[in-house]
């Protein structure tokens, strides 16, 4: 990079930080200038509306009958009432302009902080093309993507052996993969859902072979976190001819591998219901009141063991144990993992026992009802002999206690050299760091790069 271009790149975050401070200041000035002392009332009314709406949502989920209907009305009416009060006072435009400026300030602030760099992705290794790749394809996954994108024909043209599952008969995909390895396969791959991916990934890790993901499922969470193209799964086949290899972690729950997560509590119990597949919303609304108020379902205790010792979560309604932590500080990045090789499990526990705690969830990751931990080992116990668990989207029932652990860098994953990649998330907003960044005057002279501010 030329020195001038390098200097401009280093100065850009500082100007973005300055824009953040300017927009934040303007948001406050607009309120004070046009609303005066009423600005405090504007903020208080807005916060009250959010709190009442959050409490209404909780009551709607945790109650049945007329109480649920009234709670739903309250949740919808609260924000409408706030807007009406602002309009009657002639200050609606003030609130909207100030809010827009504040949103701009936060976006610019987080963008400036993100420019200091994020976690590096897994290191890529150049590898030779496989000689005898073996791919398993589920023709029903993703609404028939295997057929739509002609994955079987394209894979065979690239020299792969392909086994297409029979939709009308259950087949043991792990056994198919082991048989293929015994017959000389030097790469295993799957075009299907994350549950099938996990089963074959376990065999690949067990036999020390590279594994290949073809994003032909419905959601393709694993493919997303590997940075693969989910719009055209046929592009994943480029890994057969121009691929690189990553070393990533695997999660293990009991004797089973998971590539994404294992869920416990309310969600895991709801998906066990035979009626869930036919009517997800109705089934969830029927079961959630008793689950959220601890009148049904096992009472859970979670113990997480990491380098910093032991941590516990008592009686959560829902727990998610993930292969590497999910992002919780960026609404646009929820459900994504920036790394798959950090060597730790992510643990998210939700405990909300009343409307006040539900309102506290508005604080996001700082909410007392949300526990976010990292650990190498997690034990989920219950006051019942068995526990419903959702493992990579598949409903299981496992004997308690359930032991989860991380297996660092256990899987060799073959991915295309050229792929979309994993979007970097913005770090949490930190006004102190933004202020220091904005005040830093960088020099553009050659050999005098600007150092980012430290925490």
């Amino acid at each position: 990079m030329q020195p001038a271009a390098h200097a401009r790149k280093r100065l850009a975050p500082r100007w973005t930080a300055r824009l953040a401070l300017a927009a934040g200041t303007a948001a406050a000035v607009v309120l004070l200038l046009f609303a005066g002392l009423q600005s405090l009332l504007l903020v208080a009314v807005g916060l009250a509306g959010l709190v009442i709406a959050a409490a209404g949502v909780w009551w709607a989920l945790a109650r049945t009958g007329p109480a649920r209907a009234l709670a739903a009305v309250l949740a919808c009416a609260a924000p409408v009432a706030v807007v009406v009060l602002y309009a009657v006072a002639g200050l609606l435009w003030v609130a909207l302009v100030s809010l827009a400026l504040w949103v701009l300030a936060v976006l610019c602030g987080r963008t400036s902080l993100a420019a200091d760099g994020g976690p590096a992705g897994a290191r890529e290794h150049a590898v030779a093309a496989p000689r005898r790749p073996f791919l398993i394809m589920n023709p029903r996954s993703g609404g028939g993507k295997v057929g739509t994108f002609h994955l079987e024909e394209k894979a065979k043209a690239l020299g792969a052996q392909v086994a297409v599952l029979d939709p009308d008969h259950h087949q043991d995909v792990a056994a198919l993969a082991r048989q293929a390895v015994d017959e000389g396969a030097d790469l295993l791959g799957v075009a299907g859902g994350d549950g099938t991916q996990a089963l074959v990934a376990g065999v690949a890790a067990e036999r020390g072979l590279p594994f290949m993901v073809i994003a032909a499922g419905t959601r393709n969470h694993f493919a997303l976190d590997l940075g693969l193209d989910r719009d055209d799964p046929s592009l994943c086949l480029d890994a057969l001819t121009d691929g690189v290899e990553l070393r990533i972690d695997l999660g293990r729950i009991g004797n089973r591998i998971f590539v994404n997560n294992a869920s416990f509590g309310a969600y895991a119990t709801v998906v066990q219901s035979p009626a869930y597949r036919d009517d997800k919303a109705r089934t969830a609304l029927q079961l959630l009141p008793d689950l959220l108020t601890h009148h049904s379902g096992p009472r859970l205790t979670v113990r997480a063991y990491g380098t910093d010792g032991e941590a516990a979560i008592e009686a959560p309604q829902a727990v998610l144990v993930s292969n590497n932590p999910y992002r919780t500080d960026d609404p646009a990045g929820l459900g994504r993992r920036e790394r798959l090789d950090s060597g730790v499990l992510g643990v998210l526990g939700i405990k909300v026992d009343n409307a006040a705690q539900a309102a506290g969830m508005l604080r996001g990751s700082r909410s007392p009802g949300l526990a976010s931990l990292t650990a190498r080992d997690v034990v989920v116990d219950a006051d019942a002999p068995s526990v419903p668990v959702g493992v990579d989207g598949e409903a299981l029932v496992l004997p308690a206690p359930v032991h989860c652990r991380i297996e660092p860098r256990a899987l060799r994953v073959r991915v295309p050299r050229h792929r979309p990649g994993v979007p970097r998330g913005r770090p949490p907003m930190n006004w102190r760091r933004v202020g220091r960044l904005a005040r830093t005057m960088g020099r553009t002279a050659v050999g005098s790069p600007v150092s980012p501010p430290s925490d």
Side-chain angles (χ1 to χ4, degrees), residues 16 72-73 113 122 124 177 216 293 334-335 354 365 380 395 409 425 432 448:
T16 309
V73 170
L113 296 176
E124 299 180 357
T293 55
L334 293 178
N354 52 54
S365 59
V380 181
R409 297 171 58 83
R432 183 176 297 176
S448 300

Side-chain angles (χ1 to χ4, degrees), residues 1 4-22 104-118 424 426-427 429-444 449-454:
M1 183 181 294
H6 177 78
R8 285 194 298 270
K9 182 178 179 181
R10 300 304 298 268
L11 285 172
R14 284 142 184 83
W15 285 108
T16 309
R18 291 163 188 165
L19 178 58
L21 293 180
L104 175 63
V106 172
L107 288 176
C108 289
R110 296 183 68 183
T111 299
S112 67
L113 296 176
D116 281 342
R424 283 188 174 180
R426 297 186 183 96
M429 187 59 183
N430 185 320
W431 284 108
R432 183 176 297 176
R433 285 190 63 202
V434 170
R436 285 203 301 267
L437 188 58
R439 291 191 298 271
T440 302
M441 297 300 295
R443 290 177 295 168
T444 60
V450 179
S451 298
S454 58

Side-chain angles (χ1 to χ4, degrees), residues 134-443:
F134 178 80
L135 308 180
I136 297 173
M137 298 188 178
N138 185 344
R140 284 187 174 174
S141 288
K145 289 182 179 178
V146 169
T148 301
F149 291 92
H150 309 288
L151 299 181
E152 180 184 1
E153 296 84 350
K154 291 178 179 179
K156 287 181 176 178
L158 294 173
Q161 180 184 354
V162 179
V164 179
L165 300 178
D166 184 348
D168 299 321
H169 298 88
H170 172 75
Q171 292 172 271
D172 188 336
V173 294
L176 278 176
R178 290 191 179 93
Q179 180 181 345
V181 176
D182 292 340
E183 293 174 355
D186 61 351
L187 177 144
L188 297 175
V190 173
D194 289 335
T196 307
Q197 298 277 3
L199 292 171
V200 180
V203 176
E206 170 190 311
R207 298 296 184 93
L209 293 181
F211 177 68
M212 179 175 153
V213 175
I214 305 169
T218 301
R219 297 179 181 85
N220 299 299
H221 288 158
F222 189 38
L224 171 68
D225 295 330
L226 287 171
L228 299 177
D229 194 316
R230 299 189 301 166
D231 296 326
D232 185 354
S234 67
L235 296 179
C236 299
L237 295 172
D238 290 346
L240 294 174
T241 54
D242 185 23
V244 293
E245 193 169 287
L246 312 175
R247 279 276 190 173
I248 67 168
D249 307 333
L250 287 175
R252 183 176 290 276
I253 178 168
N255 295 321
R256 185 186 176 106
I257 289 292
F258 61 93
V259 294
N260 290 329
N261 57 65
S263 60
F264 302 81
Y267 172 75
T269 302
V270 168
V271 298
Q272 300 285 332
S273 171
Y276 180 74
R277 290 190 179 274
D278 296 329
D279 194 340
K280 294 180 173 60
R282 182 186 295 273
T283 304
L285 289 174
Q286 288 177 343
L287 298 178
L288 277 176
D290 285 340
L291 292 171
L292 295 178
T293 55
H294 298 290
H295 290 143
S296 68
R299 185 180 179 87
L300 303 177
T301 300
V302 181
R303 303 203 178 278
Y305 304 89
T307 55
D308 296 331
E310 177 183 345
I313 308 174
E314 298 290 343
Q317 284 104 334
V319 178
L320 187 74
V321 179
S322 58
N323 173 24
N324 285 253
Y326 284 104
R327 282 155 47 179
T328 59
D329 54 11
D330 184 4
L334 293 178
R336 295 179 183 173
R337 296 162 289 179
E338 289 186 324
R339 297 193 62 165
L340 289 171
D341 64 342
S342 66
V344 293
L345 298 168
V347 184
L348 291 175
I350 297 177
K351 183 178 181 181
V352 179
D353 292 326
N354 52 54
Q357 291 178 358
M361 294 296 289
L362 293 171
R363 298 176 60 189
S365 59
R366 299 186 301 276
S367 166
L370 177 64
S372 180
L373 311 170
T374 59
R376 292 180 178 171
D377 293 270
V378 177
V379 177
V380 181
D381 207 349
D383 60 352
S386 60
V387 184
V389 188
V391 181
D392 283 339
E394 296 191 17
L396 304 174
V397 177
L398 300 179
V402 180
H403 184 201
C404 305
R405 69 177 187 273
I406 194 75
E407 296 189 355
R409 297 171 58 83
L411 183 64
R412 300 164 54 193
V413 179
R414 191 73 54 88
V415 296
R417 185 184 307 275
H418 304 290
R419 59 194 187 279
V422 181
R424 283 188 174 180
R426 297 186 183 96
M429 187 59 183
N430 185 320
W431 284 108
R432 183 176 297 176
R433 285 190 63 202
V434 170
R436 285 203 301 267
L437 188 58
R439 291 191 298 271
T440 302
M441 297 300 295
R443 290 177 295 168

